[in-house]
């Protein structure tokens, strides 16, 4: 098996066409070989895979690959290529823990990430290049920045489809404000045309919507697609559901609700994004896999049972991203039979894993100086 | 809204009665409080003894975590010992003792208890001591413990001694309630009626309650938040008792899903003829046996994620290792990082090698409550305990006894804090 060729072929082809049974057969040998390569390259990874699982030659399914928890990319420099081949180190934004992930990217991985992202997005938004309205500040996606947030990564992916990118938010003292002139300019130039809109869900809802309404600006883009992600925890606290969000944004842009598309993705697994189809499901592309694990047994959950989301991908050759387990909860809805016609597993995102109410008098050992 | 689980001896569980205010509950509790004053406290201890016998036999309470210990703790001999430690003599509770200057221990009045959710029986340790010294009691108990508390208290209510006095009579001065922790009004109301506030819980709970307005005379007794660990010296590791020590250690780790202030999170082993990897393997065998007997029932996704992360971290770290069950049940994490570790809970223990158990002392702060000790060198044990308690540790106990509720607890003689020492001059 020529692994590199197989990976490139799978990424380049039209996505969501391979039925699940065939997909397992195609992906497993590639992933197993990649794990072997990781073990051969790094003693650290050799120790991890050996102590956490079985010999890659004996993997019977993708779920047999021991997943690396996403937070390990914050604690360790995990790479699977020589230092001189690292083209870029991505530092994820560190919003929750305060510590960024470090993801080592070589040229090959970078190329595959772009190709993979394009292949997925093409299937959902079409292949034509069109104007892109970015509901964010340009600062979030500076070309020379070595820090890439989830916000920036999403915009970067969408920009592949842009013939013109217009950022309509300005950042002043850490707060985002609508740049009315830029928005009006975009409206005047592209009114009624097919456009793409991209942004962080929480920012769209809490900053853009209100400021556009206050400014009395009318948006009329029936042929638009809004691709958005992130911040659902805070929105849920404000009782904003996905349906409430989609209805409001569809109304604002004068388009149908199905054009408001939520997606799930992470900096640690760039190149793989999971967009909502018209049935409201997220689909794994042919070059990646979604596994929902029971948080106690770690076994793969059957359809309809919630568990920890794990993403397996054949894209990375510079870091061990073959199987990464997240701290998110999701649920497989079905396999091969989504009404949208896409093949493979499809799932829904449920929530982040939340800290439960303090259970008792057991406590941290750390002294908090203020208390003394 | 305040849910009433039990009020003045009447049970409302699982269909709780609701009230918008505590006020309607108070007259009946006050009447029960006045009745309790008339009851000889020796008889109260006799009811406890009867309950102690019944609770281990009654089918409705068998299998409740900690019930065997609760039973032994409530035995008359143990109760008398606790009274003697706290008050010197039971007689002080019933009448004035002395000659010219006579002293009595009067109840403080209304004792309001905020009980943590991790150890269901803790509410009873708190209640029974307060009841014995004659206080009326209102306990705010988390929903997770309601069922256990009600099962236990129903057996208590039906425990009757020859004189006709029953647990039900003693419960007339007691209420068990629940309201959401965000219900500031209910919290303030409970604090306002308190002559003594007893708080069991984590930092957040303690802060939110001690910050409430209270009466000037109100006595606060605070238990928590705390951290515990264990030490094994080389003599204990080398001794023939080591298998038993590891069995007891596993039990300390398993009880209360490691969420108690007495739960060990780190075990420090002195360098000996047995390396930590071997100790971990033997401890793992004991933990595996307990896991089979007591399957994990409370699967907390957040804690499972912490276990997954800790296992991966130790598998990736060249200087660390993991011994664990295939599922996220029990986990032993071996590393060379000096000092204590943030608790993961749910049967997850860190194992570290040290040159001497004395090396752990710099890590001891006032946050550390209990140190489980398997220290065969008794001179070393005393020297260690003296230094550790000087730094704030409340208890240095044998491994296997970390959770045994005792008096004093957390440095506090609980009963003595729940009484007013009053005097009368009876002479010329």
């Amino acid at each position: 098996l020529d692994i590199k060729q197989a990976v490139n072929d799978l990424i380049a082809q039209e996505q969501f066409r391979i039925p699940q049974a065939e997909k397992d057969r195609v992906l497993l040998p590639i992933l197993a070989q990649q794990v072997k390569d990781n073990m051969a390259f790094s003693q650290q990874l050799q120790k991890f895979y050996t102590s956490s699982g079985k010999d890659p030659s004996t993997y019977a399914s993708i779920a047999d690959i021991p997943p690396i928890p996403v937070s390990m990319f914050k604690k360790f420099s995990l790479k699977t290529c020589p230092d001189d081949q690292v083209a870029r180190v991505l530092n994820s934004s560190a919003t929750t823990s305060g510590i960024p992930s470090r993801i080592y990217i070589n040229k090959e991985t970078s190329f595959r990430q772009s190709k993979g992202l394009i292949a997925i997005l093409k299937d959902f938004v079409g292949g034509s290049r069109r104007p892109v309205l970015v509901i964010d500040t340009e600062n979030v996606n500076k070309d020379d920045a070595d820090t890439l947030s989830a916000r920036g990564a999403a915009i970067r992916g969408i920009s592949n489809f842009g013939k013109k990118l217009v950022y309509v938010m300005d950042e002043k003292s850490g707060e985002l404000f609508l740049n009315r002139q830029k928005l009006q300019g975009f409206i005047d130039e592209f009114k009624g045309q097919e456009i793409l809109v991209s942004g962080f869900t929480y920012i769209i809802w809490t900053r853009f919507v209100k400021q556009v309404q206050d400014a009395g600006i009318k948006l009329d883009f029936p042929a638009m697609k809004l691709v958005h992600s992130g911040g659902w925890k805070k929105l849920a606290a404000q009782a904003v559901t996905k349906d409430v969000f989609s209805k409001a944004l569809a109304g604002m842009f004068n388009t149908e609700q199905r054009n408001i598309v939520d997606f799930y993705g992470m900096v640690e697994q760039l190149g793989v994004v999971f967009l909502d189809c018209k049935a409201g499901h997220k689909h794994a592309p042919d070059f990646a896999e979604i596994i929902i694990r029971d948080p106690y047994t770690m076994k793969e959950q059957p359809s309809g049972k919630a568990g920890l989301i794990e993403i397996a991908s054949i894209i990375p050759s510079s870091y061990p991203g073959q199987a990464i387990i997240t701290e998110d909860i999701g649920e497989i809805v079905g396999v091969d039979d989504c009404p949208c016609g896409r093949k493979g597993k499809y799932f829904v995102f449920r929530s982040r894993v939340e800290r439960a109410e303090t259970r008792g008098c057991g406590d941290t050992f750390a002294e908090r100086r203020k208390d003394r | 809204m305040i849910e009433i689980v039990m009020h003045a001896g009447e049970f409302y569980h699982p269909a709780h009665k609701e009230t918008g205010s505590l006020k309607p509950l108070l007259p009946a509790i006050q009447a029960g409080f006045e009745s309790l004053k008339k009851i000889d406290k020796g008889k109260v201890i006799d009811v406890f003894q009867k309950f102690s016998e019944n609770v281990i036999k009654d089918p409705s309470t068998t299998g409740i975590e900690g019930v065997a210990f609760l039973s032994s703790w409530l035995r008359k001999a143990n109760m008398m010992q606790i009274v003697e430690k706290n008050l010197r003599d039971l007689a002080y509770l019933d009448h004035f003792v002395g000659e010219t200057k006579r002293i009595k221990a009067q109840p403080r009045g209304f004792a309001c208890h905020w009980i943590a959710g991790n150890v269901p029986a803790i509410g009873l340790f708190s209640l029974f001591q307060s009841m014995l010294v004659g206080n009326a009691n209102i306990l705010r108990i988390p929903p997770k413990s309601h069922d256990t508390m009600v099962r236990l208290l129903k057996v208590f209510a039906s425990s009757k001694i020859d004189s006709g006095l029953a647990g039900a009579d003693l419960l007339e001065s007691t209420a068990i309630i629940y309201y959401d922790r965000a219900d500031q009004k209910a919290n303030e109301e409970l604090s306002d009626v308190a002559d003594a506030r007893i708080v069991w819980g984590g930092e957040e709970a303690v802060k939110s309650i001690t910050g409430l307005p209270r009466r000037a005379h109100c006595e606060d007794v605070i238990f928590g938040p705390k951290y515990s660990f264990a030490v094994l010296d080389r003599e204990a590791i080398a001794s023939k008792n080591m298998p038993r020590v590891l069995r007891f250690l596993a039990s300390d780790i398993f009880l209360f899903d490691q969420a108690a202030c007495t739960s060990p999170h780190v075990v420090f082993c002195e360098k000996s003829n047995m390396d930590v990897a071997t100790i971990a393997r033997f401890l793992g065998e004991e933990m595996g046996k307990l896991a089979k007997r007591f399957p994990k029932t409370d699967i907390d996704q957040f804690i499972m994620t912490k276990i997954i992360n800790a296992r991966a971290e130790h598998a990736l770290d060249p200087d660390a290792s993991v011994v664990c069950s295939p599922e996220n049940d029990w986990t032993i994490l071996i590393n060379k990082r000096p000092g204590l570790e943030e608790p993961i809970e749910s049967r997850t223990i860190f194992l570290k090698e040290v040159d001497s158990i004395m090396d752990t002392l710099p890590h001891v702060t006032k946050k550390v409550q209990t140190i489980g000790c398997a220290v065969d060198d008794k001179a070393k044990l005393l020297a260690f305990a003296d230094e550790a308690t000087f730094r704030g540790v409340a208890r240095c106990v044998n491994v296997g006894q970390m959770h045994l509720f005792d008096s004093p607890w957390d440095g506090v003689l609980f009963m003595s804090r729940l009484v007013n020492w009053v005097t009368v001059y009876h002479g010329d």
Side-chain angles (χ1 to χ4, degrees):
Chain A
L1 178 66
D2 182 342
I3 294 290
K4 287 187 187 294
Q5 191 57 51
V7 171
N8 291 339
D9 288 350
L10 269 170
I11 292 170
Q13 71 190 27
E14 277 191 48
Q15 294 301 304
F16 311 104
R17 301 292 182 270
I18 307 182
Q20 189 62 40
E22 192 186 334
K23 188 173 169 183
D24 291 338
R25 192 181 54 73
V26 171
L27 288 186
L28 182 59
I30 298 173
L31 289 165
Q33 184 56 52
Q34 288 177 326
V35 169
K36 278 185 198 168
D37 294 345
N38 293 349
M39 291 169 78
F41 180 82
S42 156
Q43 284 192 343
Q44 184 183 28
L45 292 169
Q46 164 102 36
K47 179 172 176 276
F48 173 81
Y49 287 116
T50 307
S51 63
S52 311
K54 41 188 169 180
D55 184 328
S57 307
T58 65
Y59 291 161
S61 74
I62 295 170
D64 281 348
I65 302 171
I68 295 179
V70 70
S71 65
M72 293 305 108
F73 292 93
K74 296 176 192 288
K75 289 184 185 285
F76 298 97
S77 294
L78 299 174
K79 52 178 166 297
T80 57
C81 73
D83 287 348
D84 60 3
Q85 287 179 20
V86 174
R88 194 174 188 201
V89 182
L90 292 179
N91 289 300
S92 75
S93 60
T95 45
T96 308
S97 64
I99 306 163
S101 288
R102 281 161 300 168
I103 311 294
Y104 296 88
I105 307 290
N106 60 5
K107 280 186 184 166
E108 184 176 60
T109 303
S110 178
F111 173 78
R112 289 173 181 173
Q113 286 173 338
S114 300
K115 286 280 174 200
L117 202 53
I118 290 168
I120 294 169
L121 289 170
K122 209 167 139 183
D123 197 79
F124 280 85
V125 302
S128 64
R129 293 177 80 84
R130 66 205 92 157
V132 178
L133 182 71
V134 181
I135 303 176
D136 214 322
T137 162
E138 201 162 0
N139 297 342
V140 81
N141 197 17
K142 286 260 171 72
D143 274 348
D144 58 346
D146 63 356
T147 298
L148 188 60
S149 64
R151 280 160 62 184
I155 294 161
R156 197 163 289 189
I158 290 289
S159 67
N160 287 305
F161 294 83
K163 65 180 177 191
K164 181 175 182 180
L165 252 71
V166 177
Y167 291 83
V168 290
M169 305 301 283
D170 290 338
E171 189 175 356
K172 286 173 200 159
S173 310
E175 184 52 270
L176 290 175
F177 296 94
L178 178 69
N179 185 320
R180 294 182 192 186
Q181 286 74 30
K182 277 190 181 175
L183 178 60
Q184 197 56 56
F186 186 91
I187 294 167
D188 293 343
E189 191 174 351
F190 302 114
K191 189 179 176 191
Q193 290 186 33
E194 204 178 333
I195 63 160
L196 279 174
V197 183
S198 170
F200 194 68
T201 314
Y202 183 73
I203 291 171
I204 294 173
W205 186 259
T206 58
R207 303 292 184 275
F208 180 74
V209 168
K210 185 165 188 320
Q211 293 184 45
V212 167
Q213 283 169 344
D214 288 351
I217 297 170
K218 295 278 170 229
L219 298 162
D220 186 19
F221 292 98
M224 62 87 81
K225 288 266 187 206
L226 165 59
V227 182
H228 66 96
S229 180
W232 280 113
K233 186 179 150 190
K234 286 191 212 164
L235 287 179
Q238 297 174 22
V240 180
T241 62
K242 202 195 284 187
D243 191 51
V244 166
F245 179 90
S246 299
K247 269 187 189 148
L249 268 295
M252 174 170 254
F253 279 91
N254 189 29
T255 187
E256 291 175 39
Q257 202 174 324
R258 66 181 170 85
N259 289 327
I260 312 299
V261 182
D262 174 73
F263 77 90
Y264 174 72
M266 65 191 67
V267 175
E268 292 81 0
Q269 209 54 292
L270 276 189
V272 188
V273 287
F274 302 90
L275 287 87
D276 275 356
C277 71
K278 64 185 180 188
H281 303 139
K282 298 186 194 302
H283 291 259
D286 295 337
F287 56 84
E289 189 55 288
I290 193 87
I291 288 167
I292 304 294
R293 287 193 191 265
D294 179 311
Y296 173 68
T297 65
M298 292 302 278
K299 292 196 171 129
E300 194 171 1
Q301 292 277 48
S303 296
K305 284 272 207 180
L308 294 169
I309 297 175
E310 174 184 325
I311 302 168
S313 169
I314 61 173
I315 283 181
S317 63
S318 51
Y319 70 94
Q322 279 61 40
I324 296 178
I325 191 160
T326 70
E327 295 178 13
D328 296 327
I329 300 291
E331 182 182 319
I332 298 287
V333 179
V335 180
D336 289 341
D337 58 359
C338 181
C340 76
R342 291 179 178 85
K343 297 298 176 194
K345 291 182 196 169
Y346 52 96
F347 73 105
V348 287
F349 170 87
R350 289 282 179 230
S351 64
R352 294 271 301 161
V353 170
E354 292 295 340
R355 180 187 292 268
E357 184 176 348
T358 310
R359 302 194 303 162
C361 50
D363 196 43
T364 166
F365 74 89
E367 288 278 1
R368 293 172 183 83
R369 299 201 70 83
K370 274 189 207 164
D371 296 346
R372 297 176 78 179
Chain B
M1 189 57 69
I2 298 168
E3 294 177 35
I4 307 167
V5 182
M6 195 278 290
H7 174 227
E10 292 290 324
F11 290 91
Y12 305 96
H13 181 78
H16 299 164
K17 207 166 141 183
E18 290 188 337
T19 176
S21 160
L22 274 182
K23 273 189 194 140
L25 308 185
L26 302 182
I29 300 172
Q30 176 68 31
F33 174 52
E34 285 163 21
S35 300
L36 186 59
K37 182 178 188 305
K38 295 170 195 152
I39 298 171
D40 181 272
K41 296 305 178 288
K43 297 275 186 289
V44 173
I45 290 181
D46 289 341
V47 175
F48 289 175
Q49 168 69 35
K50 193 75 192 167
F51 173 51
S52 150
E53 293 159 16
N54 292 346
V55 75
I56 42 170
K57 290 187 290 194
D58 197 290
S60 70
T61 48
T62 49
I64 291 177
E65 193 172 36
V67 80
F69 176 70
L70 178 70
S71 168
S72 67
W73 183 79
L74 280 165
R75 279 187 202 140
K76 189 169 184 171
N78 188 53
M79 276 291 121
M80 290 305 291
Q81 267 190 31
I82 294 174
V83 168
E84 280 162 19
K85 272 187 216 163
N86 280 262
L87 312 171
R88 208 173 79 177
D89 197 316
L90 188 66
Y92 285 104
L93 291 171
D94 289 322
H95 47 80
F96 286 94
V97 177
E99 293 302 324
T100 308
K101 179 184 171 185
R102 298 186 181 184
I103 297 175
K104 186 177 181 189
Q106 291 283 19
R108 285 193 176 266
F110 273 54
C112 297
H113 312 239
W114 283 261
I115 305 294
N118 53 332
V119 184
I122 207 79
L124 293 185
F125 293 118
S126 200
L127 169 65
F128 288 143
Q129 290 185 85
S130 181
M131 182 186 273
L132 178 59
V133 298
N135 288 306
N137 294 283
I138 305 176
L139 294 87
R140 188 250 180 207
I141 290 184
K144 200 174 152 190
S145 303
H146 288 171
D147 198 54
T148 304
M149 279 295 281
V150 167
R151 279 155 64 198
L152 291 165
L153 284 179
K154 280 190 172 172
V155 176
F156 177 68
S158 64
S159 299
K160 190 186 266 189
I161 58 173
D162 293 342
S163 70
L165 183 69
D169 303 315
L170 303 178
L171 286 176
E172 282 177 11
S173 57
T174 301
I176 293 175
I177 59 167
Y178 172 71
Y179 50 81
D180 191 273
R181 63 182 170 149
D183 189 339
Q184 186 69 6
K185 181 177 160 281
N187 242 345
E188 284 181 5
E189 211 180 348
L190 186 59
S191 179
D192 189 52
V193 300
D195 297 301
R197 303 191 301 183
I198 300 118
V199 187
W200 299 82
E203 186 167 319
E204 199 184 331
V206 168
K207 274 189 176 171
S208 72
I209 294 151
T210 51
L212 294 169
R214 60 166 191 163
R215 297 199 223 178
H217 66 265
C218 178
E219 176 80 352
D220 278 352
V221 188
I222 311 297
F223 295 108
K226 294 288 180 174
Y227 183 99
S228 296
F229 66 88
V231 294
L232 314 183
D233 79 343
R234 62 177 55 82
E235 288 78 11
I237 294 168
S239 85
K240 62 179 187 340
N241 288 331
M242 184 57 174
R244 198 178 62 166
V245 166
L246 292 179
R247 193 164 68 246
F248 287 161
L249 181 59
S251 165
D252 281 339
I253 295 165
F254 266 59
L255 265 172
F256 309 120
D257 206 28
Q258 240 180 331
C261 44
T262 45
S263 298
H265 300 289
V266 182
V267 180
F268 295 97
C269 306
E270 279 188 349
K271 275 181 190 157
S272 69
N273 57 351
M274 197 187 287
D275 63 12
V276 274
T278 310
I279 295 172
R281 187 159 54 80
F282 289 140
L283 179 60
E285 285 172 12
E286 295 300 332
M287 291 174 80
K289 284 181 209 164
L290 282 181
K292 273 188 192 153
R293 281 177 61 199
F294 305 103
K296 206 179 259 191
T297 49
D298 189 8
I299 308 295
D300 179 317
Q301 289 174 339
F302 184 76
I303 292 176
M304 292 302 119
T305 304
K306 287 208 291 184
I307 293 172
I308 293 165
N309 287 338
R311 286 182 174 191
E313 186 186 342
H314 284 72
L316 283 164
D317 185 339
D319 293 327
S321 58
V322 190
V323 178
C324 60
S325 56
E327 58 288 335
N328 292 319
D329 198 297
W330 57 269
T331 307
I332 302 167
L333 303 162
I334 305 166
N335 69 47
K336 293 180 178 168
R337 295 191 292 243
L340 302 173
E341 298 275 354
E342 282 301 322
I344 293 173
E345 301 183 359
S346 205
R347 308 175 179 184
T348 308
I349 192 85
F350 291 87
L351 206 58
K352 293 164 189 265
E353 198 168 61
V354 287
D355 289 327
S356 162
I357 58 169
M358 294 299 189
D359 297 347
T360 65
L361 290 169
H363 308 298
V364 171
T365 69
K366 292 188 191 307
K367 272 276 177 83
V368 179
Q369 191 220 46
T370 299
I371 303 180
C373 304
V375 182
D376 280 10
D377 179 339
K378 295 306 170 197
K380 193 188 327 180
L381 174 63
L382 278 179
F384 175 76
D386 190 48
E387 284 299 321
T389 51
F390 179 73
R391 286 166 164 82
V393 170
R395 305 164 66 231
C396 291
V397 299
N398 287 340
V399 164
Q401 296 180 353
M402 294 184 73
H403 299 293
L404 295 192
F405 187 73
D406 199 2
S407 183
W409 187 256
D410 238 358
V412 173
L413 286 167
F414 186 45
M415 271 188 206
S416 74
R417 298 277 296 274
L418 297 180
V419 294
N420 280 326
W421 288 100
V422 297
T423 52
V424 60
Y425 285 85
H426 190 264
D428 298 329

